[in-house]
Amino acid sequence: MTVDCTIICGAPCASLDAALIEGFVIAADRGLDYALGAEITPDICVGDFDSAKCSVPNGTECIRALPEKDETDALLAANIAVERGYSRLRFLCAAGGRLGHTLANIQMLYGLKKRGISAELFGEHERVELIIDETVKIPRFDGYLSVFAYEGSAEITERGVKYEVENHVFTNDFPLGVSNEITEEFARITVKGCAVIVEEYK
């Protein structure tokens, strides 16, 4: 996905893949440490800064929030990105580590999608996106592909994978779509409803 804003978050991240950084760059709290460690100066720094160890660079816009807030730092950054006109977001260092924050970020994807905003999450070894009533093509990679219904149920077709399904109803109370593998150049996933797609890299 081509993005117009990259948001660097604070999940465990041994190294930041600079090749994934595109467009406007926002560092959310500890994401500032990751950005500066990769010699990237963000356009904006956002958050309550209860985790970041580095100081905000001189001349860099900084939006500070109180720790006692409803939004996570990632969601705060996302809202700022949307307010400034960005509609294709990539979140780095946004999965893994604290499970609560990973689940919160997946819920954030859902909220953004409902607002017409495309977004994806990356962790150290995974990529997550949420799709609603659409088809996506996923290039073959070394690892596992999982597809889960997010709202109640979804009718899902998976082609180009080891375990193909055709217009099968997945439900959010049974993890039927876990740990598939892409066997062709691309997997083609069609969803009628809402589903979470997880790529786990070996």
Side-chain angles (χ1 to χ4, degrees):
M1 180 175 86
T2 300
V3 303
D4 52 19
C5 181
T6 301
I7 297 171
I8 305 170
C9 301
C13 183
S15 61
L16 191 61
D17 186 353
L20 292 173
I21 297 175
E22 298 180 45
F24 196 78
V25 178
I26 301 177
D29 202 320
R30 191 182 177 194
L32 175 61
D33 295 346
Y34 295 144
L36 297 181
E39 300 184 344
I40 296 163
T41 300
D43 295 293
I44 304 179
C45 298
V46 173
D48 54 29
F49 296 97
D50 60 351
S51 301
K53 297 178 181 178
C54 296
S55 299
V56 176
N58 290 334
T60 299
E61 183 179 357
C62 181
I63 300 174
R64 294 184 180 273
L66 295 174
E68 298 79 13
K69 62 187 188 305
D70 292 333
E71 300 92 344
T72 62
D73 290 323
L75 180 54
L76 182 62
N79 287 337
I80 290 169
V82 174
E83 288 168 6
R84 298 195 181 201
Y86 300 105
S87 60
R88 300 184 303 278
L89 313 182
R90 174 174 292 154
F91 295 83
L92 303 183
C93 307
R98 292 173 61 183
L99 179 58
H101 275 280
T102 298
L103 291 174
N105 286 342
I106 293 172
Q107 284 194 322
M108 175 181 66
L109 287 185
Y110 179 70
L112 289 169
K113 194 72 172 178
K114 286 290 190 178
R115 294 160 66 184
I117 306 300
S118 298
E120 58 186 352
L121 308 177
F122 281 84
E124 277 200 287
H125 305 290
E126 56 275 312
R127 175 185 173 273
V128 183
E129 71 174 316
L130 188 146
I131 64 172
I132 298 176
D133 296 327
E134 58 192 296
T135 296
V136 295
K137 289 174 65 177
I138 300 174
R140 186 172 184 172
F141 64 92
D142 186 18
Y144 300 102
L145 174 69
S146 298
V147 182
F148 303 107
Y150 192 77
E151 294 177 326
S153 63
E155 187 177 292
I156 295 173
T157 296
E158 297 186 54
R159 296 195 179 105
V161 295
K162 184 175 181 179
Y163 306 106
E164 292 193 334
V165 293
E166 184 80 22
N167 298 326
H168 191 86
V169 176
F170 285 33
T171 61
N172 65 359
D173 61 0
F174 187 79
L176 178 64
V178 70
S179 297
N180 212 333
E181 297 177 51
I182 300 176
T183 54
E184 299 181 10
E185 184 178 0
F186 290 92
R188 186 178 179 90
I189 312 297
T190 299
V191 174
K192 296 179 182 177
C194 180
V196 175
I197 297 176
V198 181
E199 300 170 27
E200 297 175 282
Y201 310 122
K202 292 182 180 179

